[in-house]
Each structure stands twice: as C-alpha cells, then as structure tokens.
Amino acid sequence: MGILAEFKEFAVRGNVIDLAVGVVIGASFGKIVTTLVDQIIMPPVGWLIGGIDFADLAITLRGATIDAATGEEIPAITIGYGIFINTVIQFIIVAFAIFIAVKFINRLRRKQADAPEADKPAEPSEEVQLLREIRDSLRSQP
C-alpha cells in the first residue's frame, strides 16, 4: 500500500475527522470563555474588591529604566499574577463546561444502551418452556 493511500485511509477515518472538528470547536469555545472572563466576570469582581483590574496586577522585580548609552527605554521586569488568575478562572469555566458536556453525552449513551434491551423479546415463562419441552418430547415419540 502506498504512503498516499495509507494517509488517505488515516485521514478519512471517522475518529480523525471527529477530533479535527473537536479541536476547531474547542478553540472557538476557548475564545468565548476568554472574552467571558476578561470582559464580563473579572470587571465586577475587580470592582467589588476596590476597582482593581486583575490583568494589571503584577509584582515589579525591576522598574523600567532608560539606557544611558543609547537612550532606549528598558522595560520593567514583572510577574503578572493577575493574568495568571484570569487564566485559572478561564480554565475552571472550560473544565466545568466540558464536565457538563461529558455528563450529558454519557447520559445519552446510557439511554441508547438501555433501548435495545427494551426491543429484545422477553424470555418465555417457565410454563411456556415446559410446554415446549413436552411438545418436543411428544414429537420425538413414534
């Protein structure tokens, strides 16, 4: 089998296409959650704790300076823990949304698994089985 035929077989397999769709939807969902956290959730939280914008929270290790030789500004060195807090909140929202989606999918799968059992004919009662044995016994006698 040629490498192109093998690649084609791999690429059109259902799982690969499902994965690609999931990645695209996940990336879009990530953007939605980022906007939700940055623009809707964090401003009221910042307002409640004194008008602080979490994205601006940082620890300055060294302030911005101007290089004496070239006159260029050397940016400050900071640890941006506010952005980290935003990212953690985004992660929690995404994880919760995925949890809800997986729970919903598992519930649908359980319903599908239970449905074939309802369509399956029930086992005959003991009386019917006994009558069948008697019938088969009578047929086998000369």
Side-chain angles (χ1 to χ4, degrees), residues 41-57 81-82 85-86 89:
I41 294 176
M42 295 314 286
V45 171
W47 177 72
L48 287 173
I49 62 172
I52 296 172
D53 182 8
F54 274 81
D56 294 337
L57 292 178
Y81 67 91
I85 292 172
N86 282 354
I89 292 172

Side-chain angles (χ1 to χ4, degrees), residues 10-136:
F10 167 77
V12 296
R13 200 176 288 161
N15 293 342
V16 174
I17 294 171
D18 292 345
L19 177 64
V21 169
V23 167
V24 170
I25 290 175
S28 297
F29 184 70
K31 290 178 184 178
I32 291 170
V33 170
T34 299
T35 303
L36 174 73
V37 170
D38 291 344
Q39 304 301 322
I40 296 175
I41 294 176
M42 295 314 286
V45 171
W47 177 72
L48 287 173
I49 62 172
I52 296 172
D53 182 8
F54 274 81
D56 294 337
L57 292 178
I59 298 172
T60 303
L61 300 176
R62 187 188 76 192
T65 58
I66 297 178
D67 187 8
T70 62
E72 293 180 15
E73 182 179 353
I74 300 172
I77 298 174
T78 60
I79 298 174
Y81 67 91
I83 295 172
F84 176 74
I85 292 172
N86 282 354
T87 304
V88 168
I89 292 172
Q90 291 170 9
F91 171 77
I92 291 169
I93 292 171
V94 169
F96 182 72
I98 290 172
F99 169 75
I100 295 298
V102 168
K103 187 172 180 163
F104 178 73
I105 290 168
N106 286 341
R107 185 179 310 152
L108 289 177
R109 285 187 180 164
R110 268 188 250 121
K111 285 182 182 178
Q112 286 179 342
D114 293 344
E117 290 178 12
D119 295 339
K120 185 179 176 182
E123 291 270 335
S125 67
E126 277 188 52
E127 295 165 345
V128 172
Q129 287 178 352
L130 183 59
L131 288 172
R132 285 182 182 168
E133 288 176 16
I134 294 170
R135 178 196 67 197
D136 294 342

